[in-house]
Amino acid sequence: MIIGVVGLGTVGFGTVDILVKEKARLEKEIGEEVKVKYGCSLEDVDLPEGIIYTRDFNDIINDEEVDVVVELIGGVTIAKKIILEALKKGKHVVTANKALLAHDGEELFKCATENNVNLYYEAAVGGGIPVVVPAKESLIANNIYKIEGILNGTTNFILTLMEKENLDFNEALTIADDQGFVEADASLDLDGYDAAHKIKLLAMNAFHIFFDFDKIQLEGIRNVTKKDMDYAKKLGYRIKLIAQAKKLEKGYGLDVAPTLVPINDIVGNVMEAYNVVEITSDYLENVLFYGKGAGRYVTASAVVSDIIKCHDDKKWTYHYEHTDEIYPITYSSYYIRTNKPIDVDYDQYLTLGNDHIYITRAYEKDELLNKLGNQEYHLFKVR
Amino acid sequence: MIIGVVGLGTVGFGTVDILVKEKARLEKEIGEEVKVKYGCSLEDVDLPEGIIYTRDFNDIINDEEVDVVVELIGGVTIAKKIILEALKKGKHVVTANKALLAHDGEELFKCATENNVNLYYEAAVGGGIPVVVPAKESLIANNIYKIEGILNGTTNFILTLMEKENLDFNEALTIADDQGFVEADASLDLDGYDAAHKIKLLAMNAFHIFFDFDKIQLEGIRNVTKKDMDYAKKLGYRIKLIAQAKKLEKGYGLDVAPTLVPINDIVGNVMEAYNVVEITSDYLENVLFYGKGAGRYVTASAVVSDIIKCHDDKKWTYHYEHTDEIYPITYSSYYIRTNKPIDVDYDQYLTLGNDHIYITRAYEKDELLNKLGNQEYHLFKVR
């Protein structure tokens, strides 16, 4: 197995490092040579001996000896070109590029199927946590009908800081940023785009569907206040940024939203930058995968497992259907904070000062918004 | 893919049911026929149309058309004979038989390797939770150094009852028994044998070693009192039956013991008959798998994934080393309850009535036992 790694940043470098350090053990496992032939990057990088450094990814794609191209440069333009060209040359591709796959997955997966090669992306969701492959292979007996998770470590880290250090959103954001937890484009994390990319990949994988990314309704954590967190806690909940995908009677529900999760629930105990994915299906019922969602070696661990997986003769095919029937999941129990009492059926009610806080029975969101009319409110879903 | 299922009890029947109901979808997934040709059982069973019922497993083993033999009769005598003969005839074997693999795995896995066929056992650990295959394949980049888990649903169900319903062990046991949670041989669950079988399988899989089952030190939950549970809770812990396997400087540590787990820890929030496995490794750090540890369809889900896995050309090989260096894990923080103060370094201390309760710093167990001398004590490990 001859490998070319394109992109030698955090994860790319970690991947090369693991492949070199664990070479002997990996080769014993699969009974075949495991060799990184190329490392490609626009910036000069010190590569371990024997690996060819190049600035031109075409050197890799045009080398007939290369079996697997690993795309770790990120972004959606050059990365796409590299992946498509590699697939067309009959090379397997491994990537961690969730944004690209969430936007252009349909084209890319179809290209892989047409060329009878693999396009694996375990590292794109949940960092190193095994979830894409287990959902596809270990759960193959099952019809999956719901996926829920905390898929963005940065926002979970900020929410944890707000709770533990008694901070408001902006104070916590500053600390998270100082500690390097926030990406250059903060909106990706804070407004839910990153979590939405990931839930889209999980939904494609589980439901065998393609759909437009823009169909996913998303809301980030900017509106989560310390006050609402405190009320939620009094009522037995934590606020988490939950990404959800489920089969509806007609079509599929997908959204990303700050959501109250019971503190007694395992998902409610996922703190710091950890991720969790819960999958519900007909035979296995609910199963949950938990671990670190990011980090050089954490993510590289998943990249390496995908690379080694390319050794198998098996090919994943992507004869998925394209659907437009993607809807937000609006039928739910809700947390409402208002400054006047409202007429709703509720499971819990709390009043403090001028605040009235309800955990409602399950409602269609529109019905609640009607009841609220023009008055001020803070509203979150409840899991 | 032509399949023969030996054993048509709870899991066997569930397996046949899934394979029949999901036939079209599974065939589409792997591009090959998925056909249950035989069901074998000593008792007459109503099988779906087209499946041959037999009382003689030789009918299956001697049928050249059969690719995969599924052993679900349990026990360690006939089951072993069936598996060995099937492997020698070049058939893949899928089993959920943890007791057999824990005792005779070395012989069985070597036989599979010699005959170049697969012997898969995902359903033997954690019911349907994917953990054997992910530990082997998704974590292939990693050197695993620790595995911990709640692997026995029955004891976790009893411990949950004791806490929630304020019961003593024997009262909770009676209820669990009434609800069908306790096996005919109650000792398998209550004294830790079942958890030990499972941690042995996980250790073999992760560390690539064979060793004698009797080397595992085990302690069940019979000595867990409601009183100690209450004290533990005051100190921020729950008592769980924890199975552990870790690499030591020399050799491997393995044991099963009631252990205090922090209530804030995810493992401490695993209640009822749920199972959890946490794997710690060098690159991926810690990853955790959680779900239902038993049930007809839950377990059959894992059996079916193993059967479908036999479609791949890949073979797992078992060139593991046999080791005698298996030790209990004795260096730990401990919970001690005594009726006189003792001289230990501790993180927490509580005294109520005549009871003195310590959460000690990490000690070698022998050192603590020396300090305790002849006095009465209750002692559990702390995670």
Side-chain angles (χ1 to χ4, degrees), chain A residues 40-44 53-56:
Chain A
C40 172
S41 163
L42 291 182
E43 286 157 51
D44 282 343
Y53 167 75
T54 174
R55 298 168 63 88
D56 184 357

Side-chain angles (χ1 to χ4, degrees), chain B residues 75-95:
Chain B
V76 293
T77 49
I78 312 217
K80 182 174 175 183
K81 190 173 149 72
I82 294 169
I83 293 177
L84 283 174
E85 290 189 15
L87 294 171
K88 284 175 187 164
K89 294 259 179 178
K91 298 183 190 311
H92 304 298
V93 173
V94 172
T95 180

Side-chain angles (χ1 to χ4, degrees), chain A residues 86-106:
Chain A
L87 294 171
K88 285 176 185 163
K89 294 259 180 181
K91 299 184 190 312
H92 304 297
V93 172
V94 172
T95 180
N97 197 328
K98 54 230 173 194
L100 175 61
L101 291 179
H103 286 284
D104 294 330
E106 183 162 358

